Every structure is written in structure tokens, then in C-alpha cells.
Amino acid sequence: MEELLYRSTRSDDSKVTASYAILKGLAEDGGLYVPERFPRLDVSMEELSKMTYQQVAYEVMKLFLTDYTEEELKYCISHAYDSKFDTEVIAPLVRADDAYCLELYHGKTIAFKDMALSILPYLMTIAARKNNVKNEIVILTATSGDTGKAALAGFADVPGTKIIVFYPKDGVSPVQERQMVTQKGDNTFVVGIHGNFDDAQTGVKKMFSDEKLREELDRSGFQFSSANSINIGRLVPQIVYYVYSYAVLEANGEIKDGDPINVAVPTGNFGNILAAFYAKQIGVPIRKLLCASNRNKVLYDFFSTGVYDRNREFYVTSSPSMDILISSNLERLIYQIAGGSAQKTAKLMKELTASGRYTIDEDMRKQLKDFYGNYASEEDTAKAIHDTYAAGYVIDTHTAVAASIWRRYRDETGDRTPTVIASTASPFKFARSVMTAINPQIGDKTEFELIDELSRVSGREEPQAVRELRTAPIRHKTECDVDQMEKTVKDWLAVE
């Protein structure tokens, strides 16, 4: 396998191996690591259609992680995608209302982040060994709800690591918060900040790029890495399930080899839909990428106007994992449509930091033709849940945003291309919003009463992850202001 190296979106100074990029998380210049070129799938879709999820994962990941041996990759994959998932197929593809819902929530934390964060600890510990790291790795992560718990579950009690998760104290669902604050593991630390997700993400990025802090950590035997989707080790495993979904459609006779599909993705930080874009680059016949936003429609406005502007009101919605105004992974797409120009990308990102906005040129806009952006209001989201339930299937609020946009796109364009909707979380994770959409007269019930009701109307058993929350003790009670994030980290690590 020809070696594939990675470079920063903001400089041409050096290229690094996949394992080094995974270990660092964020490049030292503040940029994100991207592959120097896109490899191509070297097995046919017909062959992939006969494979298990684990086998497809190997065929995709070997293309991107070329400094991992076959033995190392297969070890990571077999330990990640095992009985932690409640179905042997890992990511079921279910026909629902003329589309195909790719259920990405069968892992331990009932959200799509499990698909990448189940494997990241294994990739990272091998990366540490490959790069002769002696320091303890501190995973520093901001979450809008799902990444936090999935990262905590993945890294809990992993030797040689610690994990710190910041989340917006009043910006996640009750189940999401309870999942995080009940997390076991002596190496885990959860902090609720008095601010929103963008505040948390900006604070984390600031710590990553702080040279003085890096030196202080090093003297104390620590170094930062990231479990956010800014880490290429998060993005590569996400490419897998788009390849897998196409292979399953072909295996089931829903499409013929080479037929195009569309993909609809509920989008906040832009990592999940970027993985679909990368899947297209390596050979998956994806025609349109439907970028579905909620009321925080910064991405819809970007695709509509070519202007990215985070200077706007921030809304807390029923799809909190998408309540984001700074979509970090969009930088990787900007780099791509800028022709791989680190200089151009760095200039735009500097403008974003300075003024909160930037504008791409016409040549760059022309390269966004594969994308369709739109947004769903709270009423649209509730209607999508209600209508899908009436058709015999229950979806969560985030999946509902994507379903709403898929229907709108289909009605606007008449495009009947088979569409895969990324179903990113279990409806049990957002029981109040889901049940209210199904039955607006549901009344004033507790979260767990609503979960019982959802189980009854859906005919589904509540997931083990939810059942455990009923009696799990609260272990993490730390809160802080945004300007105290660094001090909170240093205090927990006992860094002078």
C-alpha cells in the first residue's frame, strides 16, 4: 500500500503520518490534518456487498491509515466493533418512508459518535507506541451532547490516558447530561461550562494552540490530544459506514452497481457529512449531499450565499447536538475547494477568528455543486417525527431534521434518487421531544416516564444504556465559567 501522508489545512511546511496526525489531533498551526490526496477503493462494491461491517472497515481504513499494519488495524477494528454494539450488523439500514435510515446508534452511548469513538482509543494507543510517546495523553474535548459520552466511554480506564470533557451546562438533553455525569473511570473528568458549545469548542482550541500551556503540560508528563471530529482518527472511521450503506443497498438489490445515491446528514460540526464527501472522493457513487441544519442555520446560509457568518443569535433547539455556529470541520472542505491552498484557507480562518465571518470566491462556490443545504424549524422537526411515526418508524430529533430536508429537496427537485438518511441518535435519547411530536397532549411526565411511553408506542425495548441511567450515581459535579477552563484543566491534572 502506497504511503498516505497528512498535511495541515493552514501550512505547507510538513507532512506527517496518519498515526502522528491522530496523536496530535490538531496541527500546531491550528489547522486540521487532511490527506495529501484521496486514495481509491481497491475492491469492488460487489465484493464489499458480501462483507461484514468489520471487513468493510478494514478495506476503507487501510487506504487512509497506511502506517498501521494489517494486524494492527484488524486488532483495532475487532476490538471496537464487537459486543459493545447491540446488533451484529453494527449499522442496520432500515427502509423508512421511501428513504433508508442508516441506524448509527447501536453502540454503548446510543449515538453515532460510537461508530468512531469505539475505535479511536485503540488507534491512539497504537499511535503513541509508534511515535515513542512517553507522556500521558490527555484527551481534551468539547461536546454538544454526544461526543462527550462516547469519548468518555471509549477512553475510560485506558492505560496511559486521561480524558476531560467540557459541555454546555444548559445546552444538552437530560439523558445526554446524565450519561456524562454518571461516567465511571478514574481517568475521566466532566465539566459543565456556563456558556454554549461554541464557547466550549473555542476554549478547547485555545488550549491546544497555547505554546506556554503545552510546555507546562510536558514538564508535568502530559500532552493533549483530541477526540473531537477535528481528529482525523474520528473522521476516517465515519467514512466506513457510507461505503457500507452503499454495499448493503447493492446486496439487497435496492440499487445496481454504479447507481447513484443521495445522502442526507443532520449537520452541526460538519464532520459527519464531510465523511460522506470523503466517501464520494474514494469512489462511492454519491450524487447529492444534503446538509441539514436546524434553526442555527449558519451552514444553510453558507451554501446559499458563500458567506460564513457566526455573528448571529444562538438558539437552543430540540436537536442540541447541532446547536453550533462554528462548524470546525468545514475548514477541511474549504481547503479542498480552495484547490489545496493552505495560504487561502489560513486567510479565511484568520478572518473568521477576527470578525466572525468570511466569504469564499466564485470559483470555490462552483465546487459546492454536490451539496444541497437547507434547514428545519422546530415545527418542521416535530412534523417529520410525527409523519415518520405514522409511516411506522420512530426517529429522533436530529434524524428528523435530515428527514425534513430530504423531503423538501425531493419535493423541490423531483429527484427520486435512493437516499440514505444518517440516523444519528436513538429516539430514546430525546424522549420528551419525540413523544411530544408524536402526541402533543403527552402531559407533564418525567423523562423516564416518557421513555416508558416511547417504548410502548414504538414497540421497542429501551436500550441498555438508558436502563442503566435510572440508578447510576452522579460522579461529576464540576462547573466553571468559560474563562476558567484552562485553570480547571490544570487543577485536575495538578499542573503548576
Side-chain angles (χ1 to χ4, degrees):
M1 183 67 64
E2 185 183 351
E3 186 176 34
L4 181 66
L5 296 176
Y6 290 78
R7 59 177 62 193
S8 168
T9 51
R10 300 189 191 181
S11 75
D12 297 318
D13 290 350
S14 61
K15 297 177 185 179
V16 302
T17 62
S19 65
Y20 183 87
I22 288 171
L23 199 58
K24 293 291 289 183
L26 195 68
E28 289 187 9
D29 57 20
L32 308 188
Y33 285 113
V34 289
E36 59 179 343
R37 58 183 165 78
F38 282 109
R40 299 287 290 181
L41 284 166
D42 57 5
V43 290
S44 68
M45 276 297 172
E46 185 181 0
E47 291 172 278
L48 289 166
S49 71
K50 297 177 174 66
M51 293 183 185
T52 64
Y53 189 89
Q54 292 85 344
Q55 290 168 328
V56 173
Y58 174 71
E59 294 300 333
V60 174
M61 292 173 71
K62 74 177 187 185
L63 303 175
F64 286 92
L65 309 180
T66 55
D67 66 325
Y68 286 76
T69 66
E70 179 178 348
E71 182 184 17
E72 287 169 341
L73 265 186
K74 287 184 173 177
Y75 169 84
C76 293
I77 290 165
S78 66
H79 283 73
Y81 305 113
D82 58 9
S83 59
K84 289 192 290 293
F85 288 79
D86 63 19
T87 169
E88 284 187 12
V89 297
I90 307 300
L93 192 66
V94 179
R95 182 75 183 254
D97 193 21
D98 291 335
Y100 301 89
C101 279
L102 181 61
E103 294 184 351
L104 301 171
Y105 54 75
H106 288 272
K108 284 174 72 173
T109 73
I110 55 176
F112 82 102
K113 306 294 174 72
D114 288 323
M115 301 300 294
L117 284 163
S118 292
I119 195 168
L120 185 61
Y122 296 100
L123 294 173
M124 195 167 283
T125 49
I126 288 175
R129 190 168 69 239
K130 283 180 176 294
N131 291 274
N132 301 310
V133 168
K134 300 294 186 287
N135 285 340
E136 192 163 11
I137 297 166
V138 179
I139 305 299
L140 183 64
T141 292
T143 185
S144 56
D146 289 333
T147 287
K149 173 59 182 178
L152 289 161
F155 281 93
D157 293 324
V158 171
T161 69
K162 292 185 184 295
I163 176 163
I164 304 169
V165 170
F166 287 98
Y167 75 96
K169 182 73 182 83
D170 299 313
V172 299
S173 81
V175 170
Q176 285 177 314
E177 181 172 46
R178 195 167 180 86
Q179 281 186 309
M180 287 187 281
V181 298
T182 59
Q183 176 64 50
K184 298 175 184 176
D186 292 339
N187 65 335
T188 65
F189 186 43
V190 179
V191 184
I193 69 154
H194 306 140
N196 60 39
F197 169 73
D198 290 326
D199 296 325
Q201 182 168 252
T202 300
V204 164
K205 279 188 162 185
K206 185 179 173 187
M207 282 187 270
F208 266 105
S209 57
D210 187 328
E211 185 64 39
K212 181 171 174 286
L213 179 59
R214 188 181 301 137
E215 291 169 2
E216 290 172 352
L217 286 167
D218 187 57
R219 285 197 297 271
S220 297
F222 300 114
Q223 68 184 66
F224 282 146
S225 190
S226 172
N228 277 83
S229 55
I230 55 175
N231 192 315
I232 198 70
R234 272 280 304 277
L235 196 59
V236 170
Q238 290 180 272
I239 300 168
V240 173
Y241 48 73
Y242 293 109
V243 178
Y244 177 74
S245 63
Y246 189 95
V248 170
L249 286 174
E250 189 170 316
N252 292 346
E254 304 283 352
I255 56 173
K256 297 191 296 293
D257 196 11
D259 285 351
I261 65 168
N262 293 335
V263 175
V265 187
T267 308
N269 215 19
F270 208 76
N272 203 4
I273 196 165
L274 183 74
F277 174 77
Y278 277 23
K280 179 181 172 85
Q281 307 312 304
I282 68 171
V284 181
I286 295 172
R287 176 179 283 162
K288 276 287 184 184
L289 296 143
L290 311 184
C291 179
S293 300
N294 65 16
R295 195 178 176 195
N296 293 294
K297 59 187 182 70
V298 64
L299 288 167
Y300 164 63
D301 291 342
F302 169 73
F303 284 114
S304 301
T305 66
V307 179
Y308 191 93
D309 188 352
R310 63 173 172 82
N311 301 309
R312 61 183 67 208
E313 189 171 349
F314 177 89
Y315 298 105
V316 175
T317 74
S318 61
S319 46
S321 297
M322 300 160 64
D323 291 346
I324 292 170
L325 296 180
I326 305 173
S327 302
S328 287
N329 269 289
L330 186 63
E331 181 171 342
R332 287 186 165 112
L333 181 65
I334 293 296
Y335 178 84
Q336 186 71 19
I337 64 176
S341 169
Q343 185 179 9
K344 204 168 185 178
T345 307
K347 179 177 178 290
L348 292 172
M349 293 307 113
K350 191 174 180 182
E351 287 175 21
L352 181 65
T353 301
S355 68
R357 71 194 304 272
Y358 60 81
T359 303
I360 61 172
D361 60 37
E362 276 306 308
D363 286 343
M364 293 172 74
R365 285 194 70 183
K366 286 174 185 172
Q367 295 183 64
L368 297 175
K369 64 183 185 301
D370 293 340
F371 288 87
Y372 167 87
N374 217 312
Y375 75 100
S377 67
E378 291 291 86
E379 293 74 23
D380 295 332
T381 303
K383 185 177 187 305
I385 293 170
H386 186 275
D387 292 353
T388 307
Y389 170 71
Y393 186 69
V394 181
I395 55 176
D396 88 297
T397 48
H398 303 75
T399 309
V401 170
S404 180
I405 296 325
W406 160 67
R407 289 192 184 104
R408 193 176 306 163
Y409 169 78
R410 185 186 58 178
D411 293 345
E412 283 178 7
T413 64
D415 185 353
R416 292 296 190 268
T417 300
T419 299
V420 171
I421 295 174
S423 186
T424 53
S426 166
F428 287 94
K429 202 159 190 174
F430 303 94
R432 184 171 301 280
S433 296
V434 172
M435 283 308 306
T436 302
I438 291 172
N439 177 11
Q441 275 72 52
I442 196 66
D444 187 23
K445 297 188 175 183
T446 68
E447 198 71 21
F448 287 112
E449 285 172 341
L450 289 166
I451 286 167
D452 291 338
E453 184 70 9
L454 178 56
S455 183
R456 186 184 67 76
V457 303
S458 67
R460 291 195 205 178
E461 197 175 330
E462 71 174 292
Q464 178 69 20
V466 173
R467 194 175 306 121
E468 289 172 353
L469 289 181
R470 291 178 183 263
T471 55
I474 305 296
R475 297 172 181 272
H476 302 276
K477 299 177 181 177
T478 304
E479 297 179 25
C480 78
D481 292 333
V482 174
D483 61 2
Q484 293 296 302
M485 288 173 65
E486 181 180 324
K487 181 180 185 303
T488 304
V489 168
K490 289 167 73 171
D491 287 349
W492 187 63
L493 295 174
V495 171
E496 295 298 327

